[in-house]
Amino acid sequence: MSTVYLVGAGPGDPKLLTRRAYELITSAEIVVYDALVSPRIVELIPPTTRLYNVGKRYGAHSMKQPEINALLIELASEGASKIVRLKGGDPFVFAHGGEEMNVLREAGIRYEIVPGITAGLAAPAYFDIPVTHRAVSRSFTCLTAHSESGELPAFDWQALAKLGGTLIFYMGVRQIASISQALIEAGCSAATPAALVSRGTTPQQSLLARTLGEFTDPEEDFTAYTPALFVIGEVIRLSEGRTSRPLAGKKVIVTRARHQASSLQEALESEGAEALLLPTIELSSNEAIKAEVATHLSQLARYGWVFFTSPNAVEFFFAALHRAGLDARALSPCRIASLGPMTTAALEAQGIKPDFMPSEYHAKAFAREFVEQVSAPHDKPLLLPASALAHDDLAHLLQEAGCRCERLPLYTNSPIHYEAEELRATLASADYLTACSSSAVHHLVELLEQYQLTDLLRELPIAVLGEQTAGAVRSYGLDPQLIAPQATIPSLVGALIERLG
């Protein structure tokens, strides 16, 4: 039997999703979502899920509400067991959730309500604006400034002016001057603090704080702030003196493969930056050597050491191991070497503590220190799980030192296609570009060369993770402005804060 879940997606920050909301959107067969659901939350939905974008933004509705109601009934009749109707904020706060609940109830369709954090409370909080405060506001009132006619709703403005506390208008960007004028005429002081809170809780958030009287110009256009709340009250003064996050207002390009980008993206966004995802490669198992992989995994006891040079190598190695019906115990005859902290963290997530890690995280140091520090490194061959496109520098250096190396190209790196205008817009708007691997650099340059856009890269500061990636940047005549002191995401973000913050 089908169940339709009316789910609140919260105000935009994926970390503000409720646990129940996350469970549902990552397991639903069908998701019907509004335009106010943030792209970061939509990205959490598995690619196998059927998606319906029904819009619902003022002036650009994809579907009218009766059409959405009909769609929910139609989808439920198809027999899908789990259908999520995903809404920005809370489904019962200016989101037509009550109407959709009644439609489902009348049609005899099972439903469940999953509340979400409404923007009226969360967005001001991200600017240090509490909607209540014992000293200045003992109440808050949420209103919608939208009406079917497009005119300002016929509120009792004198009652609102006398309420005190905090007024929070949803969907009021086109009515700012009218709201301000109406409240002043009803008795509010023109000096009352007021603010437009735009895209609250997201990296694009902004605050325009003034007095109520300064918002009364009917010629002023605030549509660029959409979606936004109009907040009025003394609590706005509490935002004065707040400390901005160090990367607030900065745009940083992330070129990591999409499934890996989240750690860097989240670290940048937690410091206030807007992370622009521009993955240049897509990783997949190397299906051409399945039989060879199976042979190597069944003969791991042959190897004295297994060398892991990246988190990707760890991920694909253990995925292959599990497909073969094996687990970490299969590595017990071998010793494990890791190129750096990120690779070590990936190994430890699999329950493996490496036996060797160099003091510097690049191929030359890896080979030199391994030969110097490890006793009897030549007894058995070494296994190097890697990308099919990875450079053979480490293998060559080890072989020159007398070690026998066998590379296992577990996965392939495929380039991702972009339109020229998309690339141009992303690179031209950014403050920095980050690169965490040589392959990401090579694929990005190849992509830009196709459209003759390499000059854009020369004008953009580049931050890299480690000397090997820096070498890839230099090979194109470019100079990385920033090299993370350590080959870790926190170190890279810390260096960006020091440079930009």
Side-chain angles (χ1 to χ4, degrees), residues 301-305 333 335 370-371 374-383 398 401-406:
R302 288 181 52 235
Y303 302 102
W305 286 80
R335 299 179 75 186
F370 178 77
V371 173
V374 175
S375 59
H378 314 307
D379 289 355
K380 291 183 177 183
L382 314 176
L383 182 64
L398 289 167
C403 300
R404 289 172 290 151
C405 296
E406 295 181 17

Side-chain angles (χ1 to χ4, degrees), residues 126-128 207 238-244:
Y126 270 48
F127 289 98
D128 292 1
L207 179 74
L238 297 172
S239 71
E240 296 171 5
R242 73 183 186 283
T243 302
S244 296

Side-chain angles (χ1 to χ4, degrees), residues 104-319:
L104 294 169
R105 182 187 294 167
E106 291 169 4
I109 297 168
R110 289 178 54 181
Y111 63 87
E112 180 181 317
I113 311 301
V114 181
I117 300 175
T118 185
L121 305 184
Y126 270 48
F127 289 98
D128 292 1
I129 300 173
V131 295
T132 64
H133 187 286
R134 184 167 55 179
V136 294
S137 175
R138 291 185 172 271
S139 68
F140 66 91
T141 305
C142 295
L143 310 100
T144 174
H146 172 67
S147 67
E148 290 300 322
S149 67
E151 300 296 323
L152 192 63
F155 294 123
D156 185 338
W157 294 102
Q158 289 188 337
L160 291 176
K162 293 176 182 177
L163 268 178
T166 307
L167 299 179
I168 304 165
F169 286 89
Y170 290 65
M171 297 174 279
V173 168
R174 290 170 174 78
Q175 306 282 12
I176 298 298
S178 299
I179 293 169
S180 303
Q181 191 62 46
L183 286 169
I184 291 171
E185 291 176 357
C188 277
S189 168
T192 303
L196 262 179
V197 182
S198 173
R199 302 177 181 90
T201 79
T202 75
Q204 300 82 29
Q205 69 178 15
S206 65
L207 179 74
L208 179 62
R210 299 177 176 176
T211 63
L212 196 60
E214 291 170 331
F215 277 113
T216 56
D217 182 358
E219 299 301 316
E220 191 168 6
D221 186 1
F222 298 104
T223 53
Y225 289 87
T226 304
L229 299 162
F230 189 38
V231 184
I232 302 161
E234 292 298 324
V235 290
I236 292 167
R237 297 190 194 277
L238 297 172
S239 71
E240 296 171 5
R242 73 183 186 283
T243 302
S244 296
R245 291 179 289 179
L247 295 180
K250 304 298 183 183
K251 295 183 178 181
V252 181
I253 295 174
V254 175
T255 57
R256 299 190 85 191
R258 190 172 296 277
H259 77 289
Q260 291 181 315
S262 59
S263 59
L264 179 53
Q265 181 180 11
E266 289 175 5
L268 288 167
E269 291 181 350
S270 70
E271 300 296 344
E274 179 180 352
L276 306 177
L277 294 190
L278 190 69
T280 58
I281 54 176
E282 190 170 35
L283 308 182
S284 58
S285 296
N286 189 352
E287 297 298 320
I289 62 161
K290 286 178 68 174
E292 183 182 340
V293 170
T295 300
H296 278 82
L297 295 180
S298 67
Q299 299 176 1
L300 287 173
R302 288 181 52 235
Y303 302 102
W305 286 80
V306 181
F307 275 43
F308 291 98
T309 58
S310 71
N312 289 331
V314 175
E315 177 185 340
F316 281 93
F317 180 86
F318 279 90

Side-chain angles (χ1 to χ4, degrees), residues 328-401:
R329 290 172 295 180
L331 286 167
S332 59
C334 312
R335 299 179 75 186
I336 307 299
S338 166
L339 178 60
M342 291 175 64
T343 305
T344 295
L347 284 165
E348 290 176 344
Q350 299 290 344
I352 300 292
K353 188 174 180 62
D355 301 286
F356 173 79
M357 186 174 76
S359 60
E360 298 177 59
Y361 314 130
H362 54 85
K364 286 184 179 179
F366 200 166
R368 183 185 68 250
E369 293 182 17
F370 178 77
V371 173
E372 291 174 352
Q373 298 177 24
V374 175
S375 59
H378 314 307
D379 289 355
K380 291 183 177 183
L382 314 176
L383 182 64
L384 275 70
S387 160
L389 300 180
H391 291 289
D392 291 330
D393 297 357
L394 178 59
H396 288 156
L397 290 166
L398 289 167
Q399 286 166 351
E400 288 173 1

Side-chain angles (χ1 to χ4, degrees), residues 31-36 42 51-56 62-63 71:
V31 175
V32 180
Y33 68 98
D34 287 347
L36 287 176
V42 175
L51 295 179
Y52 293 83
N53 182 353
V54 296
K56 298 296 290 179
S62 297
M63 295 180 72
L71 175 63

